[in-house]
Structure formats: C-alpha cells, structure tokens
C-alpha cells in the first residue's frame, strides 16, 4: 500500500486517514457536548486518541502490499 506521501496514494491509505480524522471529530464533538469531564469521557478520549493517531500514521507511511501470488500454491509440482 502506498502512503499519503507517495505520488499515487492507495485507496486504503485514504480510507485510513479519513477514518482517523472521523474518530478525532467524534472525540471533539463529545468533548464539546459534555460540560465537565467525568471518568467515562476521559476513558473515551484515551481510547479514541491513540486509535486515530495510529490510523493517521499508518496512512502516511503505508502498509506493505501482499505478494501478487500469495494465494496460489504449486501443490508439489
């Protein structure tokens, strides 16, 4: 998979970046709606922030593509 920094980013990288930004948006909206941060909201922030950060970093760097013939085996030939 080509990352977002490459000349032709893959569709998976774009989806990962979009998903990460959506997680950050949901987290921000939840924080805006709550007048005070209690324990459950703090837990939600601590769970969503690393997931969004990992999704964005994976989208920037890119994940390796599987080999083209990874599903085909020769069965002893």
């Amino acid at each position: 998979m080509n990352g977002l920094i490459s000349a032709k980013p893959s569709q998976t990288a774009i989806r990962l970046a979009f998903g990460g930004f959506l997680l950050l948006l949901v987290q921000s909206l939840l924080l805006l709606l709550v007048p005070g941060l209690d324990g459950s909201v703090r837990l939600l922030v601590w769970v969503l922030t690393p997931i969004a950060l990992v999704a964005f970093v994976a989208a920037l760097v890119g994940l390796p593509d599987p080999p083209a013939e990874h599903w085909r085996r020769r069965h002893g030939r």
Side-chain angles (χ1 to χ4, degrees):
M1 173 173 93
N2 294 332
L4 290 177
I5 300 175
S6 69
K8 279 179 60 177
S10 69
Q11 201 172 36
T12 307
I14 295 169
R15 287 180 182 163
L16 277 172
F18 186 69
F21 283 124
L22 280 179
L23 283 173
L24 286 173
L25 179 66
V26 168
Q27 175 183 330
S28 299
L29 287 175
L30 286 174
L31 287 174
L32 288 175
L33 293 175
V34 176
L37 291 177
D38 54 341
S40 61
V41 176
R42 288 182 194 267
L43 178 65
L44 186 63
V45 170
W46 284 108
V47 168
L48 289 178
T49 302
I51 293 172
L53 184 64
V54 167
F56 185 67
V57 169
L60 283 177
V61 174
L63 301 173
D65 286 329
E69 300 290 325
H70 74 283
W71 55 272
R72 178 184 268 181
R73 294 188 183 157
R74 296 206 172 241
H75 299 291
R77 290 186 197 177

Coordinates of all heavy atoms in Angstrom, one line a residue:
M1 N 0.8 -1.2 0.0 CA 0.0 0.0 0.0 C 0.9 1.2 0.0 O 1.8 1.3 0.8 CB -0.9 0.0 1.2 CG -1.7 1.2 1.4 SD -2.9 1.1 2.8 CE -1.9 1.7 4.1
N2 N 0.6 2.2 -0.9 CA 1.3 3.4 -0.9 C 0.7 4.4 0.1 O -0.5 4.5 0.2 CB 1.3 4.0 -2.3 CG 2.0 3.2 -3.3 OD1 3.0 2.5 -3.0 ND2 1.6 3.2 -4.6
G3 N 1.6 5.1 0.8 CA 1.1 6.0 1.8 C 0.7 7.3 1.2 O 0.8 7.6 0.0
L4 N 0.2 8.2 2.0 CA -0.3 9.5 1.5 C 0.8 10.4 1.0 O 0.5 11.3 0.2 CB -1.1 10.2 2.7 CG -2.4 9.6 3.1 CD1 -3.0 10.4 4.2 CD2 -3.4 9.6 1.9
I5 N 2.0 10.1 1.4 CA 3.1 11.0 1.0 C 3.6 10.6 -0.4 O 4.1 11.4 -1.1 CB 4.3 10.8 2.0 CG1 3.8 11.3 3.4 CG2 5.5 11.6 1.6 CD1 4.8 11.1 4.4
S6 N 3.3 9.4 -0.9 CA 3.7 9.0 -2.2 C 2.9 9.7 -3.3 O 1.9 10.3 -3.1 CB 3.5 7.5 -2.4 OG 2.1 7.1 -2.4
A7 N 3.4 9.6 -4.6 CA 2.8 10.2 -5.7 C 1.4 9.7 -6.0 O 0.5 10.5 -6.4 CB 3.7 10.1 -6.9
K8 N 1.2 8.4 -5.8 CA -0.1 7.8 -6.0 C -0.5 7.0 -4.8 O -0.3 5.9 -4.6 CB 0.0 6.8 -7.2 CG -0.1 7.4 -8.6 CD 0.0 6.4 -9.7 CE -1.1 5.3 -9.6 NZ -1.1 4.4 -10.7
P9 N -1.2 7.7 -3.8 CA -1.6 7.0 -2.6 C -2.7 6.0 -2.9 O -3.5 6.2 -3.8 CB -2.1 8.2 -1.7 CG -2.5 9.3 -2.6 CD -1.6 9.1 -3.8
S10 N -2.6 4.9 -2.2 CA -3.6 3.9 -2.4 C -5.0 4.2 -1.8 O -5.0 5.1 -0.9 CB -3.1 2.5 -1.9 OG -3.1 2.6 -0.5
Q11 N -6.0 3.6 -2.2 CA -7.3 3.8 -1.7 C -7.4 3.5 -0.2 O -8.1 4.2 0.6 CB -8.3 3.0 -2.5 CG -9.7 3.5 -2.4 CD -10.6 2.8 -3.4 OE1 -10.5 1.6 -3.6 NE2 -11.6 3.5 -3.9
T12 N -6.7 2.5 0.2 CA -6.7 2.1 1.6 C -6.1 3.2 2.5 O -6.6 3.4 3.6 CB -5.9 0.7 1.8 OG1 -6.5 -0.2 0.9 CG2 -6.1 0.2 3.2
A13 N -5.0 3.8 2.1 CA -4.4 4.9 2.8 C -5.3 6.0 3.0 O -5.4 6.6 4.1 CB -3.1 5.3 2.1
I14 N -6.1 6.4 1.9 CA -7.0 7.5 2.0 C -8.1 7.1 3.0 O -8.5 8.0 3.8 CB -7.5 7.8 0.6 CG1 -6.4 8.3 -0.3 CG2 -8.7 8.8 0.7 CD1 -6.7 8.4 -1.7
R15 N -8.6 5.9 2.9 CA -9.7 5.5 3.9 C -9.2 5.5 5.3 O -9.9 5.9 6.2 CB -10.2 4.1 3.5 CG -11.0 4.1 2.3 CD -11.4 2.7 1.9 NE -12.2 2.7 0.7 CZ -12.5 1.6 0.0 NH1 -12.0 0.4 0.4 NH2 -13.2 1.7 -1.1
L16 N -7.9 5.1 5.6 CA -7.4 5.1 6.9 C -7.3 6.5 7.4 O -7.6 6.8 8.6 CB -6.0 4.4 7.0 CG -6.0 2.9 7.1 CD1 -4.5 2.5 6.9 CD2 -6.5 2.5 8.4
A17 N -6.8 7.4 6.6 CA -6.7 8.8 7.0 C -8.1 9.4 7.3 O -8.3 10.1 8.3 CB -6.0 9.6 6.0
F18 N -9.1 9.2 6.4 CA -10.4 9.7 6.6 C -11.0 9.1 7.9 O -11.7 9.8 8.7 CB -11.3 9.3 5.4 CG -12.6 9.9 5.4 CD1 -12.8 11.3 5.3 CD2 -13.7 9.1 5.6 CE1 -14.1 11.8 5.3 CE2 -15.0 9.6 5.6 CZ -15.2 11.0 5.5
G19 N -10.8 7.8 8.1 CA -11.4 7.2 9.4 C -10.7 7.8 10.6 O -11.4 8.0 11.6
G20 N -9.4 8.0 10.6 CA -8.7 8.6 11.7 C -9.2 10.0 12.0 O -9.5 10.4 13.2
F21 N -9.5 10.8 11.0 CA -10.0 12.1 11.2 C -11.4 12.1 11.7 O -11.8 12.9 12.5 CB -9.9 13.0 9.9 CG -8.5 13.5 9.6 CD1 -7.9 13.2 8.4 CD2 -7.8 14.2 10.6 CE1 -6.6 13.6 8.2 CE2 -6.5 14.7 10.3 CZ -5.9 14.4 9.1
L22 N -12.2 11.1 11.2 CA -13.6 11.0 11.7 C -13.6 10.6 13.2 O -14.4 11.1 14.0 CB -14.3 9.9 11.0 CG -14.9 10.4 9.6 CD1 -15.6 9.2 8.9 CD2 -15.8 11.6 9.8
L23 N -12.6 9.8 13.6 CA -12.5 9.5 15.1 C -12.2 10.7 15.9 O -12.7 10.9 17.0 CB -11.5 8.4 15.3 CG -11.9 7.0 15.0 CD1 -10.8 6.0 15.1 CD2 -13.1 6.5 15.9
L24 N -11.3 11.5 15.4 CA -10.9 12.7 16.1 C -12.1 13.7 16.1 O -12.3 14.4 17.1 CB -9.7 13.4 15.4 CG -8.4 12.7 15.6 CD1 -7.3 13.4 14.8 CD2 -8.0 12.8 17.1
L25 N -12.9 13.8 15.1 CA -14.0 14.6 15.0 C -15.1 14.2 16.0 O -15.6 15.0 16.8 CB -14.6 14.6 13.6 CG -15.9 15.5 13.4 CD1 -15.5 17.0 13.6 CD2 -16.5 15.2 12.0
V26 N -15.3 12.9 16.1 CA -16.3 12.4 17.1 C -15.8 12.7 18.5 O -16.6 13.1 19.4 CB -16.5 10.9 16.9 CG1 -17.2 10.2 18.1 CG2 -17.2 10.6 15.6
Q27 N -14.5 12.5 18.8 CA -14.0 12.8 20.1 C -14.2 14.3 20.4 O -14.6 14.6 21.5 CB -12.5 12.4 20.1 CG -11.8 12.8 21.4 CD -10.3 12.4 21.3 OE1 -9.9 11.5 20.6 NE2 -9.5 13.2 21.9
S28 N -13.9 15.2 19.5 CA -14.0 16.6 19.7 C -15.5 17.0 20.0 O -15.8 17.8 20.9 CB -13.5 17.4 18.6 OG -12.1 17.1 18.4
L29 N -16.4 16.4 19.2 CA -17.8 16.7 19.4 C -18.3 16.2 20.8 O -19.1 16.9 21.4 CB -18.6 16.1 18.3 CG -18.5 16.8 16.9 CD1 -19.3 16.0 15.9 CD2 -19.0 18.2 17.0
L30 N -17.9 15.1 21.2 CA -18.3 14.6 22.5 C -17.7 15.5 23.6 O -18.4 15.7 24.6 CB -17.8 13.1 22.7 CG -18.5 12.1 21.9 CD1 -17.8 10.7 22.1 CD2 -20.0 12.0 22.4
L31 N -16.5 16.0 23.4 CA -15.9 16.9 24.4 C -16.7 18.2 24.5 O -16.8 18.8 25.5 CB -14.5 17.1 24.2 CG -13.5 15.9 24.5 CD1 -12.1 16.2 24.1 CD2 -13.6 15.6 26.0
L32 N -17.1 18.7 23.3 CA -17.9 19.9 23.3 C -19.2 19.8 23.9 O -19.8 20.8 24.5 CB -18.0 20.4 21.9 CG -16.8 21.0 21.2 CD1 -17.0 21.3 19.8 CD2 -16.3 22.2 21.9
L33 N -19.9 18.7 23.9 CA -21.2 18.4 24.4 C -21.2 18.2 25.9 O -22.2 18.5 26.6 CB -21.9 17.3 23.7 CG -22.2 17.4 22.2 CD1 -22.7 16.2 21.6 CD2 -23.2 18.6 22.0
V34 N -20.1 17.8 26.5 CA -20.1 17.5 27.9 C -19.5 18.7 28.6 O -18.4 19.2 28.4 CB -19.2 16.3 28.1 CG1 -19.0 16.0 29.6 CG2 -19.7 15.1 27.4
P35 N -20.3 19.2 29.6 CA -19.8 20.4 30.4 C -18.6 20.1 31.2 O -17.7 21.0 31.3 CB -21.0 20.8 31.2 CG -21.9 19.7 31.2 CD -21.6 18.8 30.1
G36 N -18.6 19.0 31.9 CA -17.4 18.6 32.7 C -16.9 17.2 32.3 O -17.7 16.4 31.9
L37 N -15.7 17.0 32.4 CA -15.1 15.7 32.0 C -15.2 14.7 33.2 O -14.5 14.9 34.2 CB -13.7 15.8 31.5 CG -13.5 16.4 30.2 CD1 -12.0 16.5 29.9 CD2 -14.2 15.7 29.1
D38 N -16.0 13.7 33.2 CA -16.0 12.7 34.2 C -15.2 11.5 33.8 O -14.5 11.5 32.7 CB -17.5 12.3 34.6 CG -18.3 11.8 33.4 OD1 -17.9 12.2 32.3 OD2 -19.3 11.2 33.6
G39 N -15.2 10.5 34.5 CA -14.3 9.3 34.3 C -14.6 8.6 32.9 O -13.6 8.2 32.2
S40 N -15.8 8.4 32.6 CA -16.1 7.7 31.3 C -15.7 8.5 30.1 O -15.3 7.9 29.1 CB -17.6 7.4 31.3 OG -18.4 8.6 31.3
V41 N -15.9 9.8 30.1 CA -15.5 10.7 29.0 C -14.0 10.7 28.9 O -13.4 10.6 27.8 CB -16.0 12.1 29.1 CG1 -15.5 13.0 28.0 CG2 -17.5 12.1 29.1
R42 N -13.3 10.7 30.0 CA -11.8 10.7 30.0 C -11.3 9.4 29.4 O -10.4 9.3 28.6 CB -11.2 10.9 31.3 CG -11.3 12.3 31.9 CD -10.7 12.3 33.3 NE -11.0 13.6 33.9 CZ -10.3 14.7 33.9 NH1 -9.2 14.6 33.2 NH2 -10.7 15.7 34.5
L43 N -12.0 8.3 29.7 CA -11.7 7.0 29.2 C -11.9 6.9 27.7 O -11.1 6.4 26.9 CB -12.5 5.9 29.9 CG -12.2 4.4 29.4 CD1 -10.8 4.0 29.7 CD2 -13.2 3.5 30.0
L44 N -13.0 7.5 27.2 CA -13.3 7.6 25.8 C -12.2 8.4 25.0 O -11.8 8.0 24.0 CB -14.7 8.2 25.6 CG -15.2 8.2 24.1 CD1 -15.3 6.7 23.6 CD2 -16.5 8.9 24.0
V45 N -11.8 9.5 25.6 CA -10.7 10.3 25.0 C -9.4 9.5 24.9 O -8.7 9.5 23.9 CB -10.5 11.6 25.8 CG1 -9.3 12.3 25.3 CG2 -11.7 12.5 25.6
W46 N -9.1 8.8 26.0 CA -7.8 8.0 26.0 C -7.9 6.8 25.1 O -6.9 6.3 24.7 CB -7.5 7.6 27.4 CG -6.9 8.7 28.2 CD1 -7.5 9.4 29.2 CD2 -5.6 9.3 28.0 NE1 -6.7 10.4 29.7 CE2 -5.6 10.4 29.0 CE3 -4.6 9.1 27.2 CZ2 -4.4 11.2 29.1 CZ3 -3.5 9.9 27.3 CH2 -3.4 10.9 28.3
V47 N -9.1 6.3 24.7 CA -9.2 5.2 23.8 C -9.2 5.6 22.4 O -8.5 5.0 21.5 CB -10.5 4.3 24.1 CG1 -10.8 3.3 23.1 CG2 -10.3 3.6 25.5
L48 N -9.9 6.7 22.1 CA -10.0 7.2 20.7 C -8.8 7.9 20.2 O -8.5 7.8 19.0 CB -11.2 8.1 20.5 CG -12.6 7.4 20.6 CD1 -13.7 8.5 20.5 CD2 -12.8 6.4 19.6
T49 N -8.1 8.6 21.0 CA -6.9 9.4 20.5 C -5.8 8.5 20.0 O -5.3 8.7 18.9 CB -6.4 10.3 21.6 OG1 -7.5 11.2 22.0 CG2 -5.2 11.1 21.2
P50 N -5.4 7.4 20.7 CA -4.3 6.6 20.1 C -4.8 5.8 18.8 O -4.0 5.7 17.9 CB -4.0 5.6 21.2 CG -4.5 6.2 22.5 CD -5.6 7.0 22.1
I51 N -6.0 5.4 18.8 CA -6.5 4.8 17.6 C -6.5 5.7 16.4 O -6.0 5.3 15.3 CB -8.0 4.2 17.8 CG1 -7.9 3.1 18.8 CG2 -8.6 3.7 16.5 CD1 -9.3 2.7 19.3
A52 N -6.9 6.9 16.6 CA -6.9 7.9 15.5 C -5.5 8.2 15.1 O -5.2 8.4 13.9 CB -7.6 9.2 15.9
L53 N -4.6 8.4 16.0 CA -3.2 8.7 15.7 C -2.5 7.5 15.0 O -1.8 7.7 14.0 CB -2.4 8.9 17.0 CG -1.0 9.4 16.9 CD1 -0.9 10.7 16.1 CD2 -0.3 9.5 18.2
V54 N -2.8 6.3 15.4 CA -2.2 5.1 14.7 C -2.7 5.0 13.2 O -2.0 4.7 12.3 CB -2.5 3.8 15.5 CG1 -2.2 2.6 14.6 CG2 -1.6 3.8 16.7
A55 N -4.0 5.3 13.1 CA -4.6 5.3 11.7 C -4.0 6.3 10.8 O -3.7 6.1 9.6 CB -6.1 5.5 11.8
F56 N -3.8 7.5 11.4 CA -3.2 8.6 10.6 C -1.7 8.3 10.2 O -1.3 8.4 9.1 CB -3.3 9.9 11.3 CG -2.8 11.1 10.5 CD1 -3.4 11.5 9.4 CD2 -1.6 11.7 10.9 CE1 -3.0 12.5 8.6 CE2 -1.2 12.8 10.1 CZ -1.8 13.2 9.0
V57 N -0.9 7.7 11.2 CA 0.5 7.4 10.9 C 0.5 6.2 9.9 O 1.4 6.3 9.0 CB 1.2 7.0 12.2 CG1 2.6 6.4 12.0 CG2 1.4 8.3 13.1
A58 N -0.3 5.2 10.0 CA -0.3 4.1 9.1 C -0.7 4.6 7.7 O -0.2 4.1 6.7 CB -1.3 3.0 9.5
A59 N -1.6 5.6 7.6 CA -2.0 6.1 6.3 C -0.8 6.9 5.7 O -0.6 6.9 4.5 CB -3.2 7.0 6.4
L60 N -0.1 7.7 6.5 CA 1.1 8.4 6.0 C 2.2 7.5 5.5 O 2.8 7.7 4.4 CB 1.6 9.4 7.0 CG 0.8 10.6 7.3 CD1 1.4 11.4 8.4 CD2 0.7 11.5 6.0
V61 N 2.5 6.5 6.3 CA 3.7 5.7 6.0 C 3.3 4.6 4.9 O 4.0 4.4 4.0 CB 4.2 5.0 7.3 CG1 5.2 3.9 6.9 CG2 4.7 6.0 8.2
G62 N 2.1 4.0 5.1 CA 1.7 3.0 4.1 C 2.1 1.6 4.7 O 3.1 1.4 5.3
L63 N 1.2 0.7 4.4 CA 1.4 -0.7 4.8 C 1.9 -1.5 3.6 O 1.6 -1.2 2.5 CB 0.1 -1.3 5.3 CG -0.5 -0.6 6.5 CD1 -1.8 -1.2 6.9 CD2 0.5 -0.6 7.7
P64 N 2.7 -2.6 3.8 CA 3.2 -3.4 2.7 C 2.1 -4.1 2.0 O 1.1 -4.6 2.6 CB 4.2 -4.3 3.3 CG 3.8 -4.4 4.7 CD 3.2 -3.1 5.1
D65 N 2.1 -4.2 0.7 CA 1.2 -5.0 -0.1 C 1.5 -6.5 0.0 O 2.7 -6.8 0.0 CB 1.2 -4.6 -1.6 CG 0.6 -3.2 -1.8 OD1 -0.4 -2.9 -1.1 OD2 1.0 -2.5 -2.8
P66 N 0.5 -7.3 0.0 CA 0.8 -8.8 -0.1 C 1.4 -9.1 -1.4 O 1.1 -8.4 -2.4 CB -0.5 -9.4 0.2 CG -1.5 -8.4 -0.2 CD -0.9 -7.1 0.0
P67 N 2.2 -10.2 -1.5 CA 2.7 -10.7 -2.8 C 1.5 -11.0 -3.8 O 0.4 -11.4 -3.4 CB 3.5 -11.9 -2.5 CG 3.5 -12.1 -1.1 CD 2.6 -11.1 -0.4
A68 N 1.8 -10.8 -5.1 CA 0.8 -11.0 -6.1 C 0.2 -12.4 -6.1 O -0.9 -12.7 -6.4 CB 1.3 -10.6 -7.5
E69 N 1.1 -13.4 -5.9 CA 0.7 -14.8 -6.0 C 0.6 -15.4 -4.6 O 0.9 -16.6 -4.5 CB 1.7 -15.5 -6.9 CG 1.8 -15.0 -8.3 CD 0.6 -15.3 -9.1 OE1 0.0 -16.4 -8.9 OE2 0.2 -14.5 -9.9
H70 N 0.2 -14.7 -3.6 CA 0.2 -15.2 -2.2 C -0.8 -16.3 -2.1 O -0.7 -17.1 -1.2 CB 0.1 -14.1 -1.2 CG -1.3 -13.6 -1.2 ND1 -1.8 -12.7 -2.1 CD2 -2.3 -13.8 -0.3 CE1 -3.1 -12.5 -1.8 NE2 -3.4 -13.1 -0.7
W71 N -1.8 -16.3 -2.9 CA -2.9 -17.3 -2.7 C -2.7 -18.6 -3.5 O -3.3 -19.6 -3.3 CB -4.2 -16.7 -3.2 CG -4.2 -16.1 -4.6 CD1 -3.8 -14.9 -4.9 CD2 -4.5 -16.8 -5.8 NE1 -3.8 -14.8 -6.3 CE2 -4.2 -15.9 -6.8 CE3 -4.9 -18.1 -6.1 CZ2 -4.4 -16.3 -8.2 CZ3 -5.1 -18.5 -7.4 CH2 -4.9 -17.6 -8.4
R72 N -1.7 -18.6 -4.4 CA -1.5 -19.7 -5.3 C -0.4 -20.6 -4.8 O 0.7 -20.1 -4.5 CB -1.2 -19.2 -6.7 CG -0.9 -20.4 -7.7 CD -0.5 -19.8 -9.0 NE -1.7 -19.7 -9.8 CZ -1.7 -19.3 -11.1 NH1 -0.6 -18.9 -11.6 NH2 -2.8 -19.2 -11.7
R73 N -0.6 -21.8 -4.7 CA 0.5 -22.8 -4.3 C 0.6 -23.8 -5.4 O -0.3 -24.1 -6.1 CB 0.1 -23.4 -2.9 CG 0.1 -22.4 -1.8 CD 0.0 -23.1 -0.5 NE -0.1 -22.1 0.5 CZ -0.6 -22.3 1.7 NH1 -1.1 -23.4 2.0 NH2 -0.6 -21.3 2.6
R74 N 1.8 -24.4 -5.4 CA 2.0 -25.4 -6.5 C 1.6 -26.8 -6.2 O 1.5 -27.6 -7.1 CB 3.5 -25.4 -6.9 CG 3.9 -24.0 -7.4 CD 5.1 -24.2 -8.3 NE 5.3 -22.9 -9.0 CZ 5.3 -22.8 -10.3 NH1 5.0 -23.8 -11.1 NH2 5.6 -21.6 -10.8
H75 N 1.4 -27.1 -5.0 CA 0.9 -28.4 -4.5 C 1.9 -29.5 -5.0 O 1.5 -30.5 -5.6 CB -0.5 -28.7 -5.0 CG -1.5 -27.8 -4.5 ND1 -1.9 -27.8 -3.1 CD2 -2.2 -26.8 -5.1 CE1 -2.8 -26.8 -2.9 NE2 -3.0 -26.2 -4.1
G76 N 3.2 -29.3 -4.8 CA 4.2 -30.4 -5.1 C 4.6 -30.5 -6.5 O 5.3 -31.4 -6.9
R77 N 4.4 -29.6 -7.3 CA 4.8 -29.6 -8.7 C 6.2 -29.0 -8.8 O 6.6 -28.2 -8.3 CB 3.9 -28.8 -9.6 CG 2.6 -29.5 -9.8 CD 1.8 -28.8 -10.8 NE 0.4 -29.1 -10.7 CZ -0.5 -28.6 -11.4 NH1 -0.2 -27.7 -12.3 NH2 -1.8 -28.9 -11.3

